[in-house]
Amino acid sequence: MNYLTLSLALIFVIIPLLLSKTLKLGLEKDTTIAAVRSIIQLLAVGYLLHFVFETENIVFIFLMVLLMIGAATQNARRKGKAIKGITWKLFLTFLFIEILTQSILLGLSIIPSTAQYIIPISGMIIGNSMVLSILFLNRFISEVKDHVEQTELILSLGGTPKQAIHTQLVQSIKSSTIPTIESQKTIGLVQLPGMMSGQIIAGADPVQAVQFQLLILFILLTTAVITSIMLGYLSYPSLFNNRMQLLKLEEK
Amino acid sequence: MTRQAISLKDISYSDKGVAILKNISGSFPEGYITTLVGPSGAGKTTLFRLCNGLRSPNSGQIYINDKTINEYNPVELRRKVGIALQSAAMINGTILQNLSLPFDLQGKQFSKEFALELLQDVGLTSDFLHRDVKDLSGGQRQKLSIARTLVNRPDILLLDEITSSLDRVSQQDIEELIVKINKKYKTTIIWITHNLEQARTLGNYTWVMMNGQLVEAGPPSLLDDPIDEKVRLFVKGHEQ
Ligand SMILES: Nc1ncnc2c1ncn2[C@@H]1O[C@H](COP(=O)(O)OP(=O)(O)O)[C@@H](O)[C@H]1O
Ligand SMILES: [Mg+2]
């Protein structure tokens, strides 16, 4: 594909803009912003990756991954503002997951240790971890708000904060990881996963593409479960003070 | 001289800048049944939550048996100072799961005999044990909440309007039970009630709270002839 054909693809941006205008849907501004942002961001990433792949310098790989973790943290922290210190808790979670998965992938030579593999796979892992952490935080905060009475009941009977929040914590971990597990049950039946489709279009052998897709899916299972558990256990203590009292969640 | 189970020195508590308790100083004598009365919104429940350590005062000091409240580990404090709130909150599950909760939290074995004894004490029958708490009436929840608070055998028992949803007969049963516990285990009882008759007859000591302040404290007979004009009006209002 070249830039001329790509510019023809703008037709697919103009269609929703026209529809929005005629039907007064009010989506013009957001659609334009979305289109412009994706053009700038993806092109920038494309050239950046091109540069990183060329140089094959380990420092650039580190910097890229750090950038992804930083961006993911920035994005997810807005959902968790009610929890004290959420920024570094998210950062630590993403960092841990990245280190764990890459240690397994590279340590067992499942993937070659080149930027071409490490960076896209890191992107998928961190991106999914970010989505999971947003799901988890949304659910956990509403569980905590809905069960203040039960939490204080357990505290009042001499339970520890961990005991008092346990049900809500487990419930939030479960409900945030279920979509990941469920979606894998039907995968391939209706919709081909994005990465696999991309590889096939780019000319890769479908079986090879499937193998990679499976690898990613399995990594995402680990990512989902560890993100919720780790974030949960890092987050719940800041809901209480040192007198084991449940603090009020700040309103946003 | 009688020892004090709980002493409050100049306690103030506010929430989001609104003063709820204002400079409360007073005490609850050890081994007594103290009844605590006052219009709703006076701060009675809030005072209980402070004594059980669910909240800390903004200023002032709370003493439990002459030790400041912060000298206790919160878990130890809450087992010593038991609380049964009017809302009678329950965890999801059966009556048995709620009843055994205080022991489960300590990893202690909860015997069926103990469960049955507690149920009988509060006037619930043994066939309740495996029912879902969702199926209980308001009165039954209150009874279960009392039984559950008794599991830890607290030295001090804070009871917040625990008979408000009970019929006359159940109310008398619970009154008898609390008096029995007070005699048998020398448990200090502090009892919030809207029922002034209950406050007069059951208590050895009475507190009247209004608008976040302790207005009068003394023998229950003070309700017969209050000194404070506001208290006089409050008592009169209840007798009509
Ligand atoms: N969680 C809370 N947040 C804000 N205000 C509260 C809260 N709980 C109680 N209050 C206020 O504190 C005052 C005292 O309440 P409470 O202690 O429940 O009184 P009582 O038990 O005597 O009826 C009331 O004005 C009530 O509105
Ligand atoms: Mg109250």
Side-chain angles (χ1 to χ4, degrees), chain A residues 5 11-12 16 31 51 82 88 97 106 124 145 148 162 168 171 174 181 184 188 194-195 197 243 249:
Chain A
T5 42
I11 293 170
F12 296 112
T31 310
F51 169 73
W88 71 263
I97 284 171
L106 299 173
M124 282 187 264
K145 280 185 178 162
V148 169
K162 190 176 171 187
Q168 289 81 280
Q171 190 57 46
K174 259 167 93 175
I181 298 169
Q184 298 200 3
M195 185 195 76
S197 313
R243 293 301 297 165
L249 283 176

mmCIF file with all atom_site columns, all heavy atoms in Angstrom, chain A residues 5 11-12 16 31 51 82 88 97 106 124 145 148 162 168 171 174 181 184 188 194-195 197 243 249:
data_model
loop_
_atom_site.group_PDB
_atom_site.id
_atom_site.type_symbol
_atom_site.label_atom_id
_atom_site.label_alt_id
_atom_site.label_comp_id
_atom_site.label_asym_id
_atom_site.label_entity_id
_atom_site.label_seq_id
_atom_site.pdbx_PDB_ins_code
_atom_site.Cartn_x
_atom_site.Cartn_y
_atom_site.Cartn_z
_atom_site.occupancy
_atom_site.B_iso_or_equiv
_atom_site.pdbx_formal_charge
_atom_site.auth_seq_id
_atom_site.auth_comp_id
_atom_site.auth_asym_id
_atom_site.auth_atom_id
_atom_site.pdbx_PDB_model_num
ATOM 1   N N   . THR A 1 5   ? -3.079  5.307   -2.047 1.00 0.00 ? 5   THR A N   1
ATOM 2   C CA  . THR A 1 5   ? -4.191  4.409   -1.705 1.00 0.00 ? 5   THR A CA  1
ATOM 3   C C   . THR A 1 5   ? -4.667  4.660   -0.280 1.00 0.00 ? 5   THR A C   1
ATOM 4   O O   . THR A 1 5   ? -5.857  4.586   0.007  1.00 0.00 ? 5   THR A O   1
ATOM 5   C CB  . THR A 1 5   ? -3.779  2.923   -1.864 1.00 0.00 ? 5   THR A CB  1
ATOM 6   O OG1 . THR A 1 5   ? -2.476  2.747   -1.336 1.00 0.00 ? 5   THR A OG1 1
ATOM 7   C CG2 . THR A 1 5   ? -3.819  2.482   -3.304 1.00 0.00 ? 5   THR A CG2 1
ATOM 8   N N   . ILE A 1 11  ? -12.054 7.986   2.657  1.00 0.00 ? 11  ILE A N   1
ATOM 9   C CA  . ILE A 1 11  ? -13.482 7.859   2.333  1.00 0.00 ? 11  ILE A CA  1
ATOM 10  C C   . ILE A 1 11  ? -14.228 7.274   3.529  1.00 0.00 ? 11  ILE A C   1
ATOM 11  O O   . ILE A 1 11  ? -15.336 7.684   3.866  1.00 0.00 ? 11  ILE A O   1
ATOM 12  C CB  . ILE A 1 11  ? -13.669 6.931   1.101  1.00 0.00 ? 11  ILE A CB  1
ATOM 13  C CG1 . ILE A 1 11  ? -13.090 7.620   -0.142 1.00 0.00 ? 11  ILE A CG1 1
ATOM 14  C CG2 . ILE A 1 11  ? -15.146 6.587   0.888  1.00 0.00 ? 11  ILE A CG2 1
ATOM 15  C CD1 . ILE A 1 11  ? -13.006 6.703   -1.349 1.00 0.00 ? 11  ILE A CD1 1
ATOM 16  N N   . PHE A 1 12  ? -13.547 6.322   4.206  1.00 0.00 ? 12  PHE A N   1
ATOM 17  C CA  . PHE A 1 12  ? -14.202 5.662   5.332  1.00 0.00 ? 12  PHE A CA  1
ATOM 18  C C   . PHE A 1 12  ? -14.300 6.549   6.577  1.00 0.00 ? 12  PHE A C   1
ATOM 19  O O   . PHE A 1 12  ? -14.936 6.185   7.550  1.00 0.00 ? 12  PHE A O   1
ATOM 20  C CB  . PHE A 1 12  ? -13.473 4.349   5.672  1.00 0.00 ? 12  PHE A CB  1
ATOM 21  C CG  . PHE A 1 12  ? -13.544 3.349   4.543  1.00 0.00 ? 12  PHE A CG  1
ATOM 22  C CD1 . PHE A 1 12  ? -12.398 2.985   3.829  1.00 0.00 ? 12  PHE A CD1 1
ATOM 23  C CD2 . PHE A 1 12  ? -14.763 2.792   4.187  1.00 0.00 ? 12  PHE A CD2 1
ATOM 24  C CE1 . PHE A 1 12  ? -12.482 2.083   2.786  1.00 0.00 ? 12  PHE A CE1 1
ATOM 25  C CE2 . PHE A 1 12  ? -14.844 1.883   3.151  1.00 0.00 ? 12  PHE A CE2 1
ATOM 26  C CZ  . PHE A 1 12  ? -13.698 1.527   2.441  1.00 0.00 ? 12  PHE A CZ  1
ATOM 27  N N   . PRO A 1 16  ? -18.901 8.442   7.805  1.00 0.00 ? 16  PRO A N   1
ATOM 28  C CA  . PRO A 1 16  ? -19.556 8.734   9.100  1.00 0.00 ? 16  PRO A CA  1
ATOM 29  C C   . PRO A 1 16  ? -19.710 10.223  9.367  1.00 0.00 ? 16  PRO A C   1
ATOM 30  O O   . PRO A 1 16  ? -20.697 10.644  9.987  1.00 0.00 ? 16  PRO A O   1
ATOM 31  C CB  . PRO A 1 16  ? -18.631 8.089   10.127 1.00 0.00 ? 16  PRO A CB  1
ATOM 32  C CG  . PRO A 1 16  ? -17.363 7.788   9.424  1.00 0.00 ? 16  PRO A CG  1
ATOM 33  C CD  . PRO A 1 16  ? -17.683 7.648   7.980  1.00 0.00 ? 16  PRO A CD  1
ATOM 34  N N   . THR A 1 31  ? -15.206 12.179  15.812 1.00 0.00 ? 31  THR A N   1
ATOM 35  C CA  . THR A 1 31  ? -14.737 11.368  14.693 1.00 0.00 ? 31  THR A CA  1
ATOM 36  C C   . THR A 1 31  ? -13.484 11.985  14.080 1.00 0.00 ? 31  THR A C   1
ATOM 37  O O   . THR A 1 31  ? -12.510 11.284  13.786 1.00 0.00 ? 31  THR A O   1
ATOM 38  C CB  . THR A 1 31  ? -15.842 11.268  13.616 1.00 0.00 ? 31  THR A CB  1
ATOM 39  O OG1 . THR A 1 31  ? -17.050 10.871  14.260 1.00 0.00 ? 31  THR A OG1 1
ATOM 40  C CG2 . THR A 1 31  ? -15.490 10.255  12.547 1.00 0.00 ? 31  THR A CG2 1
ATOM 41  N N   . PHE A 1 51  ? 12.889  2.782   12.810 1.00 0.00 ? 51  PHE A N   1
ATOM 42  C CA  . PHE A 1 51  ? 14.192  3.211   13.315 1.00 0.00 ? 51  PHE A CA  1
ATOM 43  C C   . PHE A 1 51  ? 14.751  2.202   14.326 1.00 0.00 ? 51  PHE A C   1
ATOM 44  O O   . PHE A 1 51  ? 15.897  1.786   14.255 1.00 0.00 ? 51  PHE A O   1
ATOM 45  C CB  . PHE A 1 51  ? 14.039  4.603   13.955 1.00 0.00 ? 51  PHE A CB  1
ATOM 46  C CG  . PHE A 1 51  ? 15.227  5.056   14.743 1.00 0.00 ? 51  PHE A CG  1
ATOM 47  C CD1 . PHE A 1 51  ? 16.404  5.446   14.087 1.00 0.00 ? 51  PHE A CD1 1
ATOM 48  C CD2 . PHE A 1 51  ? 15.193  5.078   16.134 1.00 0.00 ? 51  PHE A CD2 1
ATOM 49  C CE1 . PHE A 1 51  ? 17.501  5.863   14.807 1.00 0.00 ? 51  PHE A CE1 1
ATOM 50  C CE2 . PHE A 1 51  ? 16.304  5.489   16.857 1.00 0.00 ? 51  PHE A CE2 1
ATOM 51  C CZ  . PHE A 1 51  ? 17.459  5.886   16.195 1.00 0.00 ? 51  PHE A CZ  1
ATOM 52  N N   . ALA A 1 82  ? -9.830  7.274   42.717 1.00 0.00 ? 82  ALA A N   1
ATOM 53  C CA  . ALA A 1 82  ? -10.335 7.138   44.084 1.00 0.00 ? 82  ALA A CA  1
ATOM 54  C C   . ALA A 1 82  ? -9.367  6.370   44.975 1.00 0.00 ? 82  ALA A C   1
ATOM 55  O O   . ALA A 1 82  ? -9.446  6.446   46.195 1.00 0.00 ? 82  ALA A O   1
ATOM 56  C CB  . ALA A 1 82  ? -11.697 6.440   44.065 1.00 0.00 ? 82  ALA A CB  1
ATOM 57  N N   . TRP A 1 88  ? 1.505   4.584   40.698 1.00 0.00 ? 88  TRP A N   1
ATOM 58  C CA  . TRP A 1 88  ? 2.646   3.653   40.790 1.00 0.00 ? 88  TRP A CA  1
ATOM 59  C C   . TRP A 1 88  ? 2.187   2.209   40.916 1.00 0.00 ? 88  TRP A C   1
ATOM 60  O O   . TRP A 1 88  ? 2.882   1.277   40.516 1.00 0.00 ? 88  TRP A O   1
ATOM 61  C CB  . TRP A 1 88  ? 3.617   4.072   41.899 1.00 0.00 ? 88  TRP A CB  1
ATOM 62  C CG  . TRP A 1 88  ? 3.128   3.879   43.305 1.00 0.00 ? 88  TRP A CG  1
ATOM 63  C CD1 . TRP A 1 88  ? 2.553   4.815   44.107 1.00 0.00 ? 88  TRP A CD1 1
ATOM 64  C CD2 . TRP A 1 88  ? 3.200   2.672   44.071 1.00 0.00 ? 88  TRP A CD2 1
ATOM 65  N NE1 . TRP A 1 88  ? 2.235   4.259   45.320 1.00 0.00 ? 88  TRP A NE1 1
ATOM 66  C CE2 . TRP A 1 88  ? 2.632   2.943   45.332 1.00 0.00 ? 88  TRP A CE2 1
ATOM 67  C CE3 . TRP A 1 88  ? 3.676   1.379   43.821 1.00 0.00 ? 88  TRP A CE3 1
ATOM 68  C CZ2 . TRP A 1 88  ? 2.516   1.985   46.344 1.00 0.00 ? 88  TRP A CZ2 1
ATOM 69  C CZ3 . TRP A 1 88  ? 3.565   0.424   44.828 1.00 0.00 ? 88  TRP A CZ3 1
ATOM 70  C CH2 . TRP A 1 88  ? 2.998   0.736   46.073 1.00 0.00 ? 88  TRP A CH2 1
ATOM 71  N N   . ILE A 1 97  ? 4.196   -7.587  34.756 1.00 0.00 ? 97  ILE A N   1
ATOM 72  C CA  . ILE A 1 97  ? 3.655   -8.476  33.734 1.00 0.00 ? 97  ILE A CA  1
ATOM 73  C C   . ILE A 1 97  ? 4.580   -8.535  32.521 1.00 0.00 ? 97  ILE A C   1
ATOM 74  O O   . ILE A 1 97  ? 4.832   -9.602  31.959 1.00 0.00 ? 97  ILE A O   1
ATOM 75  C CB  . ILE A 1 97  ? 2.235   -8.026  33.342 1.00 0.00 ? 97  ILE A CB  1
ATOM 76  C CG1 . ILE A 1 97  ? 1.295   -8.458  34.454 1.00 0.00 ? 97  ILE A CG1 1
ATOM 77  C CG2 . ILE A 1 97  ? 1.798   -8.598  32.009 1.00 0.00 ? 97  ILE A CG2 1
ATOM 78  C CD1 . ILE A 1 97  ? -0.077  -7.923  34.348 1.00 0.00 ? 97  ILE A CD1 1
ATOM 79  N N   . LEU A 1 106 ? 11.400  -15.160 26.175 1.00 0.00 ? 106 LEU A N   1
ATOM 80  C CA  . LEU A 1 106 ? 12.795  -15.104 25.736 1.00 0.00 ? 106 LEU A CA  1
ATOM 81  C C   . LEU A 1 106 ? 13.625  -16.196 26.405 1.00 0.00 ? 106 LEU A C   1
ATOM 82  O O   . LEU A 1 106 ? 14.464  -16.830 25.764 1.00 0.00 ? 106 LEU A O   1
ATOM 83  C CB  . LEU A 1 106 ? 13.397  -13.721 26.031 1.00 0.00 ? 106 LEU A CB  1
ATOM 84  C CG  . LEU A 1 106 ? 12.711  -12.557 25.318 1.00 0.00 ? 106 LEU A CG  1
ATOM 85  C CD1 . LEU A 1 106 ? 13.260  -11.218 25.816 1.00 0.00 ? 106 LEU A CD1 1
ATOM 86  C CD2 . LEU A 1 106 ? 12.879  -12.686 23.801 1.00 0.00 ? 106 LEU A CD2 1
ATOM 87  N N   . MET A 1 124 ? 0.907   -5.712  22.790 1.00 0.00 ? 124 MET A N   1
ATOM 88  C CA  . MET A 1 124 ? -0.350  -6.431  23.021 1.00 0.00 ? 124 MET A CA  1
ATOM 89  C C   . MET A 1 124 ? -0.547  -6.752  24.495 1.00 0.00 ? 124 MET A C   1
ATOM 90  O O   . MET A 1 124 ? -1.648  -6.636  25.028 1.00 0.00 ? 124 MET A O   1
ATOM 91  C CB  . MET A 1 124 ? -0.364  -7.703  22.183 1.00 0.00 ? 124 MET A CB  1
ATOM 92  C CG  . MET A 1 124 ? -0.698  -7.410  20.733 1.00 0.00 ? 124 MET A CG  1
ATOM 93  S SD  . MET A 1 124 ? -0.899  -8.907  19.790 1.00 0.00 ? 124 MET A SD  1
ATOM 94  C CE  . MET A 1 124 ? 0.730   -9.046  19.084 1.00 0.00 ? 124 MET A CE  1
ATOM 95  N N   . LYS A 1 145 ? -18.050 0.473   47.016 1.00 0.00 ? 145 LYS A N   1
ATOM 96  C CA  . LYS A 1 145 ? -19.076 1.461   47.358 1.00 0.00 ? 145 LYS A CA  1
ATOM 97  C C   . LYS A 1 145 ? -20.404 0.793   47.719 1.00 0.00 ? 145 LYS A C   1
ATOM 98  O O   . LYS A 1 145 ? -21.117 1.255   48.594 1.00 0.00 ? 145 LYS A O   1
ATOM 99  C CB  . LYS A 1 145 ? -19.295 2.419   46.183 1.00 0.00 ? 145 LYS A CB  1
ATOM 100 C CG  . LYS A 1 145 ? -18.239 3.501   46.108 1.00 0.00 ? 145 LYS A CG  1
ATOM 101 C CD  . LYS A 1 145 ? -18.560 4.505   45.010 1.00 0.00 ? 145 LYS A CD  1
ATOM 102 C CE  . LYS A 1 145 ? -17.534 5.612   44.975 1.00 0.00 ? 145 LYS A CE  1
ATOM 103 N NZ  . LYS A 1 145 ? -17.579 6.336   43.689 1.00 0.00 ? 145 LYS A NZ  1
ATOM 104 N N   . VAL A 1 148 ? -20.320 -1.127  51.616 1.00 0.00 ? 148 VAL A N   1
ATOM 105 C CA  . VAL A 1 148 ? -19.721 -0.467  52.779 1.00 0.00 ? 148 VAL A CA  1
ATOM 106 C C   . VAL A 1 148 ? -20.238 -1.103  54.077 1.00 0.00 ? 148 VAL A C   1
ATOM 107 O O   . VAL A 1 148 ? -19.473 -1.384  54.998 1.00 0.00 ? 148 VAL A O   1
ATOM 108 C CB  . VAL A 1 148 ? -20.034 1.045   52.754 1.00 0.00 ? 148 VAL A CB  1
ATOM 109 C CG1 . VAL A 1 148 ? -19.650 1.703   54.067 1.00 0.00 ? 148 VAL A CG1 1
ATOM 110 C CG2 . VAL A 1 148 ? -19.295 1.707   51.603 1.00 0.00 ? 148 VAL A CG2 1
ATOM 111 N N   . LYS A 1 162 ? -8.238  -7.099  55.182 1.00 0.00 ? 162 LYS A N   1
ATOM 112 C CA  . LYS A 1 162 ? -8.194  -8.103  54.122 1.00 0.00 ? 162 LYS A CA  1
ATOM 113 C C   . LYS A 1 162 ? -9.430  -9.000  54.174 1.00 0.00 ? 162 LYS A C   1
ATOM 114 O O   . LYS A 1 162 ? -10.047 -9.288  53.146 1.00 0.00 ? 162 LYS A O   1
ATOM 115 C CB  . LYS A 1 162 ? -6.929  -8.941  54.266 1.00 0.00 ? 162 LYS A CB  1
ATOM 116 C CG  . LYS A 1 162 ? -6.678  -9.841  53.090 1.00 0.00 ? 162 LYS A CG  1
ATOM 117 C CD  . LYS A 1 162 ? -5.369  -10.567 53.247 1.00 0.00 ? 162 LYS A CD  1
ATOM 118 C CE  . LYS A 1 162 ? -5.237  -11.632 52.172 1.00 0.00 ? 162 LYS A CE  1
ATOM 119 N NZ  . LYS A 1 162 ? -4.064  -12.470 52.379 1.00 0.00 ? 162 LYS A NZ  1
ATOM 120 N N   . GLN A 1 168 ? -15.476 -8.697  47.985 1.00 0.00 ? 168 GLN A N   1
ATOM 121 C CA  . GLN A 1 168 ? -15.518 -7.707  46.914 1.00 0.00 ? 168 GLN A CA  1
ATOM 122 C C   . GLN A 1 168 ? -14.303 -7.840  46.000 1.00 0.00 ? 168 GLN A C   1
ATOM 123 O O   . GLN A 1 168 ? -14.404 -7.672  44.781 1.00 0.00 ? 168 GLN A O   1
ATOM 124 C CB  . GLN A 1 168 ? -15.572 -6.292  47.477 1.00 0.00 ? 168 GLN A CB  1
ATOM 125 C CG  . GLN A 1 168 ? -16.875 -5.908  48.130 1.00 0.00 ? 168 GLN A CG  1
ATOM 126 C CD  . GLN A 1 168 ? -16.979 -6.414  49.550 1.00 0.00 ? 168 GLN A CD  1
ATOM 127 O OE1 . GLN A 1 168 ? -17.287 -7.579  49.784 1.00 0.00 ? 168 GLN A OE1 1
ATOM 128 N NE2 . GLN A 1 168 ? -16.729 -5.557  50.508 1.00 0.00 ? 168 GLN A NE2 1
ATOM 129 N N   . GLN A 1 171 ? -14.728 -11.015 43.840 1.00 0.00 ? 171 GLN A N   1
ATOM 130 C CA  . GLN A 1 171 ? -15.774 -10.757 42.865 1.00 0.00 ? 171 GLN A CA  1
ATOM 131 C C   . GLN A 1 171 ? -15.253 -9.887  41.717 1.00 0.00 ? 171 GLN A C   1
ATOM 132 O O   . GLN A 1 171 ? -15.531 -10.154 40.547 1.00 0.00 ? 171 GLN A O   1
ATOM 133 C CB  . GLN A 1 171 ? -16.946 -10.066 43.572 1.00 0.00 ? 171 GLN A CB  1
ATOM 134 C CG  . GLN A 1 171 ? -18.190 -9.941  42.745 1.00 0.00 ? 171 GLN A CG  1
ATOM 135 C CD  . GLN A 1 171 ? -18.656 -11.313 42.255 1.00 0.00 ? 171 GLN A CD  1
ATOM 136 O OE1 . GLN A 1 171 ? -18.714 -12.276 43.018 1.00 0.00 ? 171 GLN A OE1 1
ATOM 137 N NE2 . GLN A 1 171 ? -18.955 -11.414 40.964 1.00 0.00 ? 171 GLN A NE2 1
ATOM 138 N N   . LYS A 1 174 ? -12.741 -11.824 39.534 1.00 0.00 ? 174 LYS A N   1
ATOM 139 C CA  . LYS A 1 174 ? -13.460 -12.771 38.672 1.00 0.00 ? 174 LYS A CA  1
ATOM 140 C C   . LYS A 1 174 ? -14.138 -12.059 37.513 1.00 0.00 ? 174 LYS A C   1
ATOM 141 O O   . LYS A 1 174 ? -13.962 -12.418 36.354 1.00 0.00 ? 174 LYS A O   1
ATOM 142 C CB  . LYS A 1 174 ? -14.530 -13.497 39.498 1.00 0.00 ? 174 LYS A CB  1
ATOM 143 C CG  . LYS A 1 174 ? -14.100 -14.892 39.921 1.00 0.00 ? 174 LYS A CG  1
ATOM 144 C CD  . LYS A 1 174 ? -15.015 -15.440 40.972 1.00 0.00 ? 174 LYS A CD  1
ATOM 145 C CE  . LYS A 1 174 ? -16.163 -16.262 40.463 1.00 0.00 ? 174 LYS A CE  1
ATOM 146 N NZ  . LYS A 1 174 ? -16.911 -16.837 41.630 1.00 0.00 ? 174 LYS A NZ  1
ATOM 147 N N   . ILE A 1 181 ? -11.547 -14.748 29.212 1.00 0.00 ? 181 ILE A N   1
ATOM 148 C CA  . ILE A 1 181 ? -11.678 -16.203 29.103 1.00 0.00 ? 181 ILE A CA  1
ATOM 149 C C   . ILE A 1 181 ? -12.829 -16.566 28.169 1.00 0.00 ? 181 ILE A C   1
ATOM 150 O O   . ILE A 1 181 ? -12.688 -17.405 27.279 1.00 0.00 ? 181 ILE A O   1
ATOM 151 C CB  . ILE A 1 181 ? -11.894 -16.811 30.505 1.00 0.00 ? 181 ILE A CB  1
ATOM 152 C CG1 . ILE A 1 181 ? -10.671 -16.505 31.384 1.00 0.00 ? 181 ILE A CG1 1
ATOM 153 C CG2 . ILE A 1 181 ? -12.141 -18.314 30.409 1.00 0.00 ? 181 ILE A CG2 1
ATOM 154 C CD1 . ILE A 1 181 ? -10.866 -16.805 32.850 1.00 0.00 ? 181 ILE A CD1 1
ATOM 155 N N   . GLN A 1 184 ? -12.273 -16.149 24.403 1.00 0.00 ? 184 GLN A N   1
ATOM 156 C CA  . GLN A 1 184 ? -11.402 -17.144 23.769 1.00 0.00 ? 184 GLN A CA  1
ATOM 157 C C   . GLN A 1 184 ? -12.150 -18.423 23.398 1.00 0.00 ? 184 GLN A C   1
ATOM 158 O O   . GLN A 1 184 ? -11.693 -19.201 22.577 1.00 0.00 ? 184 GLN A O   1
ATOM 159 C CB  . GLN A 1 184 ? -10.220 -17.463 24.685 1.00 0.00 ? 184 GLN A CB  1
ATOM 160 C CG  . GLN A 1 184 ? -9.391  -16.218 24.915 1.00 0.00 ? 184 GLN A CG  1
ATOM 161 C CD  . GLN A 1 184 ? -7.987  -16.498 25.374 1.00 0.00 ? 184 GLN A CD  1
ATOM 162 O OE1 . GLN A 1 184 ? -7.579  -17.646 25.478 1.00 0.00 ? 184 GLN A OE1 1
ATOM 163 N NE2 . GLN A 1 184 ? -7.243  -15.451 25.636 1.00 0.00 ? 184 GLN A NE2 1
ATOM 164 N N   . GLY A 1 188 ? -12.302 -17.116 16.478 1.00 0.00 ? 188 GLY A N   1
ATOM 165 C CA  . GLY A 1 188 ? -12.115 -17.766 15.185 1.00 0.00 ? 188 GLY A CA  1
ATOM 166 C C   . GLY A 1 188 ? -13.418 -18.189 14.536 1.00 0.00 ? 188 GLY A C   1
ATOM 167 O O   . GLY A 1 188 ? -13.474 -18.413 13.332 1.00 0.00 ? 188 GLY A O   1
ATOM 168 N N   . GLY A 1 194 ? -7.406  -9.756  15.197 1.00 0.00 ? 194 GLY A N   1
ATOM 169 C CA  . GLY A 1 194 ? -6.776  -8.691  14.413 1.00 0.00 ? 194 GLY A CA  1
ATOM 170 C C   . GLY A 1 194 ? -5.355  -9.008  13.984 1.00 0.00 ? 194 GLY A C   1
ATOM 171 O O   . GLY A 1 194 ? -4.984  -8.825  12.825 1.00 0.00 ? 194 GLY A O   1
ATOM 172 N N   . MET A 1 195 ? -4.565  -9.524  14.934 1.00 0.00 ? 195 MET A N   1
ATOM 173 C CA  . MET A 1 195 ? -3.176  -9.768  14.607 1.00 0.00 ? 195 MET A CA  1
ATOM 174 C C   . MET A 1 195 ? -3.045  -10.833 13.521 1.00 0.00 ? 195 MET A C   1
ATOM 175 O O   . MET A 1 195 ? -2.286  -10.701 12.575 1.00 0.00 ? 195 MET A O   1
ATOM 176 C CB  . MET A 1 195 ? -2.410  -10.222 15.844 1.00 0.00 ? 195 MET A CB  1
ATOM 177 C CG  . MET A 1 195 ? -0.935  -10.376 15.549 1.00 0.00 ? 195 MET A CG  1
ATOM 178 S SD  . MET A 1 195 ? -0.059  -11.285 16.802 1.00 0.00 ? 195 MET A SD  1
ATOM 179 C CE  . MET A 1 195 ? -0.559  -12.939 16.458 1.00 0.00 ? 195 MET A CE  1
ATOM 180 N N   . SER A 1 197 ? -5.312  -11.728 11.266 1.00 0.00 ? 197 SER A N   1
ATOM 181 C CA  . SER A 1 197 ? -5.769  -11.184 9.987  1.00 0.00 ? 197 SER A CA  1
ATOM 182 C C   . SER A 1 197 ? -4.668  -10.366 9.338  1.00 0.00 ? 197 SER A C   1
ATOM 183 O O   . SER A 1 197 ? -4.399  -10.516 8.144  1.00 0.00 ? 197 SER A O   1
ATOM 184 C CB  . SER A 1 197 ? -6.989  -10.274 10.198 1.00 0.00 ? 197 SER A CB  1
ATOM 185 O OG  . SER A 1 197 ? -7.919  -10.905 11.032 1.00 0.00 ? 197 SER A OG  1
ATOM 186 N N   . ARG A 1 243 ? -5.714  2.432   61.548 1.00 0.00 ? 243 ARG A N   1
ATOM 187 C CA  . ARG A 1 243 ? -6.619  1.990   62.617 1.00 0.00 ? 243 ARG A CA  1
ATOM 188 C C   . ARG A 1 243 ? -7.649  1.006   62.067 1.00 0.00 ? 243 ARG A C   1
ATOM 189 O O   . ARG A 1 243 ? -8.681  0.764   62.691 1.00 0.00 ? 243 ARG A O   1
ATOM 190 C CB  . ARG A 1 243 ? -7.333  3.193   63.262 1.00 0.00 ? 243 ARG A CB  1
ATOM 191 C CG  . ARG A 1 243 ? -6.424  4.140   64.053 1.00 0.00 ? 243 ARG A CG  1
ATOM 192 C CD  . ARG A 1 243 ? -5.684  3.467   65.184 1.00 0.00 ? 243 ARG A CD  1
ATOM 193 N NE  . ARG A 1 243 ? -6.595  2.934   66.196 1.00 0.00 ? 243 ARG A NE  1
ATOM 194 C CZ  . ARG A 1 243 ? -6.229  2.046   67.138 1.00 0.00 ? 243 ARG A CZ  1
ATOM 195 N NH1 . ARG A 1 243 ? -5.002  1.595   67.174 1.00 0.00 ? 243 ARG A NH1 1
ATOM 196 N NH2 . ARG A 1 243 ? -7.107  1.601   68.017 1.00 0.00 ? 243 ARG A NH2 1
ATOM 197 N N   . LEU A 1 249 ? -14.307 6.647   49.860 1.00 0.00 ? 249 LEU A N   1
ATOM 198 C CA  . LEU A 1 249 ? -13.709 6.805   48.532 1.00 0.00 ? 249 LEU A CA  1
ATOM 199 C C   . LEU A 1 249 ? -13.967 8.228   48.054 1.00 0.00 ? 249 LEU A C   1
ATOM 200 O O   . LEU A 1 249 ? -15.086 8.719   48.163 1.00 0.00 ? 249 LEU A O   1
ATOM 201 C CB  . LEU A 1 249 ? -14.325 5.817   47.549 1.00 0.00 ? 249 LEU A CB  1
ATOM 202 C CG  . LEU A 1 249 ? -13.835 4.375   47.662 1.00 0.00 ? 249 LEU A CG  1
ATOM 203 C CD1 . LEU A 1 249 ? -14.611 3.493   46.696 1.00 0.00 ? 249 LEU A CD1 1
ATOM 204 C CD2 . LEU A 1 249 ? -12.361 4.272   47.377 1.00 0.00 ? 249 LEU A CD2 1
#
